Amino acid sequence: MDQTNHSVIVDEQVVVKWLTPPAPLPHPAPDILAHLVEAGFNDTAPPYAALTGVVDGREHLLALVTGYLPDARDGWEWCVDEAVAGTTAFAAAVGRLTADLHLALSTLPHSPTTAETEGTATGLPAPLGVGLVERAEAALSEALAVTDGEDGVWLAERAEVMRRELDALTAPVTKPVTTPLIRIHGDLHVGQILQWRDGYAVIDFDGNPTVADAGPRQPAARDVAQLTTSLEHVAQVAIKRRGTPPDQAAAWARRARAGLLAAYRDRLAARHRPDLLDERLIRPFEVEQECRELIYAARHLPRWRYAPMGVLHTWYDAQKTSADTPAATPTPNPARKPEENIA
């Protein structure tokens, strides 16, 4: 059971996920799941059927039927255990899984929009040259507006440093961002990575219900940044709920992040597609993601604020608050926040 949908396990063979409420068609999940099967990507719950019906005169997706994965646990369980134990062997497997997912999604057919075909004066595809900076800066501005108290004061003191971190989204003309836009998962965090009897599997291709202005085709770095920031959140959960020492948790997150990125990068290279990842985009997308976590906490789950604030403290407490401070080196899914499982 999760918050936004109702899942029923039938005879430990299939899972029927009823969408609550039903989602108007077109919906991304059926097409993505069908394409993943065609592309040979098997690290997900095998899709069996999609149930549709007419609601208020329009066709809707009512339910998805997928295979049951024995002994499955999501990342807010198994990954927190890894953080507490200080082990990071999982990171390589998850990095390869993510790369394989993006390799498969990069071949999903699409019809280019006018914006994608026209580009900009710098030669960048318009979705990279226009919109990403505005979206990230808007997230920072909203995070500043909705974060109150001492956290809000601390955040405001570091706002200029955070804005500098977003500069990579406006890459110089001499070395523009040319990474291809692909269909991405859109809400990729550890809660979407199941550890099950035979390994790891990624689930929930419904998109991010908390971000209305995000196109389905974006740089792969967006998914990567969501996944790496969720490792940081796992570390914060381990500190708060399992008593892990902060320095130990932060060191674990750094090792896990490095292992995941190395495996992801190596897999793309082995498949002759290193162009799918422009690493300059990871850090600004990570900063934007933490802003969105603060917005999510303010709107839906105030007690979750400790997680993104803990990450930001880890990143910025050792820095000056001046705009001249060098950049640090390297949306939320309402269905899968660990704090929502606390009575």
Side-chain angles (χ1 to χ4, degrees):
M1 175 76 71
D2 62 32
Q3 183 187 12
T4 55
N5 300 301
H6 179 73
S7 295
V8 179
I9 299 172
V10 182
D11 198 28
E12 296 192 351
Q13 295 294 318
V14 299
V15 178
V16 181
K17 183 174 79 171
W18 294 94
L19 278 69
T20 53
L25 292 177
H27 186 277
D31 288 344
I32 288 177
L33 291 171
H35 177 75
L36 291 178
V37 171
E38 182 179 345
F41 179 83
N42 298 315
D43 293 322
T44 188
Y48 294 149
L51 177 63
T52 64
V54 177
V55 179
D56 296 329
R58 180 176 176 180
E59 195 77 10
H60 282 63
L61 178 64
L62 305 179
L64 290 167
V65 183
T66 63
Y68 173 74
L69 300 179
D71 304 323
R73 304 166 68 215
D74 77 31
W76 296 121
E77 297 178 4
W78 67 260
C79 202
V80 172
D81 287 346
E82 298 277 4
V84 172
T87 52
T88 60
F90 74 91
V94 173
R96 289 190 293 269
L97 180 155
T98 306
D100 288 343
L101 173 67
H102 286 156
L103 288 163
L105 290 177
S106 71
T107 63
L108 182 66
H110 75 285
S111 299
T113 65
T114 300
E116 289 173 337
T117 56
E118 288 180 352
T120 68
T122 64
L124 300 181
L128 288 181
V130 178
L132 290 187
V133 177
E134 290 83 349
R135 172 183 163 175
E137 290 181 344
L140 175 56
S141 295
E142 187 172 354
L144 289 165
V146 301
T147 306
D148 57 10
E150 293 182 1
D151 286 343
V153 172
W154 184 94
L155 192 66
E157 291 175 346
R158 287 148 181 86
E160 289 307 311
V161 178
M162 295 173 70
R163 286 192 178 95
R164 284 173 60 91
E165 299 249 56
L166 303 179
D167 286 349
L169 297 177
T170 55
V173 175
T174 55
K175 192 175 181 182
V177 176
T178 57
T179 184
L181 301 180
I182 66 170
R183 168 74 79 160
I184 63 171
H185 183 285
D187 193 27
L188 191 62
H189 54 79
V190 294
Q192 314 284 35
I193 307 292
L194 300 183
Q195 183 188 65
W196 67 295
R197 187 181 61 195
D198 293 342
Y200 297 91
V202 60
I203 60 169
D204 286 351
F205 295 90
D206 302 338
N208 191 332
T210 68
V211 182
D213 60 344
R217 298 180 66 252
Q218 296 205 29
R222 174 79 73 185
D223 272 353
V224 173
Q226 286 184 313
L227 191 53
T228 55
T229 53
S230 72
L231 292 174
E232 303 264 14
H233 300 150
V234 165
Q236 295 302 315
V237 173
I239 293 167
K240 184 176 179 66
R241 296 176 57 182
R242 304 284 292 275
T244 302
D247 289 349
Q248 178 179 315
W252 172 87
R254 288 192 297 270
R255 294 195 307 273
R257 180 185 188 278
L260 187 151
L261 289 176
Y264 179 90
R265 192 184 302 117
D266 289 348
R267 182 71 112 197
L268 292 187
R271 299 293 189 269
H272 310 292
R273 289 303 311 269
D275 60 304
L276 287 183
L277 180 66
D278 189 321
E279 296 199 37
R280 292 173 296 172
L281 300 179
I282 296 177
R283 185 59 174 188
F285 283 162
E286 288 178 329
V287 172
E288 178 185 344
Q289 184 61 30
E290 293 305 337
C291 292
R292 295 194 178 279
E293 296 290 336
L294 289 171
I295 296 166
Y296 174 86
R299 290 177 179 174
H300 304 289
L301 193 65
R303 65 179 180 270
W304 174 247
R305 190 164 82 179
Y306 79 86
M309 286 304 303
V311 174
L312 293 171
H313 276 284
T314 300
W315 289 351
Y316 297 120
D317 270 345
Q319 297 188 34
K320 298 177 181 178
T321 58
S322 167
D324 294 329
T325 303
T329 55
T331 176
N333 179 0
R336 290 289 182 183
K337 288 286 186 263
E339 300 309 297
E340 292 172 332
N341 297 324
I342 300 175

